[in-house]
Amino acid sequence: MDFERYLKAGRIAAEVRESARKTYHVGSTLFEICESVEAHIRSMNGQPAFPVNTSLNEIAAHYTAEPNDATVVKEDDVLKIDIGVHIDGYIADTAVTVCYNPKYEALVKAAEAALGEAVRMARTNTKASDIGRTIEGTITKFGFRPIQNLSGHSLQQYTIHAGKSIPNIWTIGSSFRLLANEAYAIEPFVTTRDGQGAVHEGQTKNIFGITSRKPIKDKEADELLELIWGRYRSLPFAMRWLTDKYEEKELRRLIVVLTKKKNLHSYPILVEGYDKIVVQAEHTLIPAESTVNVITL
Ligand code: MN
Ligand code: MN
């Protein structure tokens, strides 16, 4: 645990998130948004811990822009901007939902309120299941539904999902208590009352990560694998990040080869079960003995 580097990652992530919250995104492409948010992270001497997620409407998570993605944000869109920043692998993970049609404001308020309540109660020894109960209770009071199969998570150096889940609903059975000096992301996802309250994997896959560095004896593919390892280790990456060295068509071919050989895995987009709107809010925090440091505040 390197608290200073967590704090620095958190400060950068918070500033980049607030800047993204204030920006008017209608008319911009997802490519422009992703590239400018990531450039902002780098300009502050942080590194993106994963490709900025720009998931629209019923897509809850895991969409990042394709190379030259021409998808344009419209007036009625609900856009989740999920940002990860790392300093030497110490990760801050935070998200904001932006929308311009007032009919979605209550949904966003519900997610922010649920996150606020969860952060307020999180301490060393707080039970994760109690946080889930508070999140669900807050969202329900607003008349909406939590996404039950998405959750917060513990973080470790170079690992975004480090094994422990902080639920967004009240789960019975075994749980765990938050540890001092361990980092956790808490991230309520909210959908409307007529949503399923669950996500499933969609067809689109534009975020990848290394599973194995074992060479496959294909010169081009093995070179790409080593480039990815050198740049991103086991952290997620996007094709956009490799078009400085590769032509897009060749890059797609090599990624298919490496995925088939199980050197790479992909993260499919996650879509609301009944295609209803999803919103999200997220902070990263580190409990101490008697207080909590919300590093992305
Ligand atoms: Mn996130
Ligand atoms: Mn997260």
Side-chain angles (χ1 to χ4, degrees), residues 50 82-84 93-95 153 187 280 282:
F50 49 82
D82 193 332
I83 296 161
D93 186 2
T94 187
H153 47 94
E187 49 183 316
Q280 174 200 18
E282 180 175 23

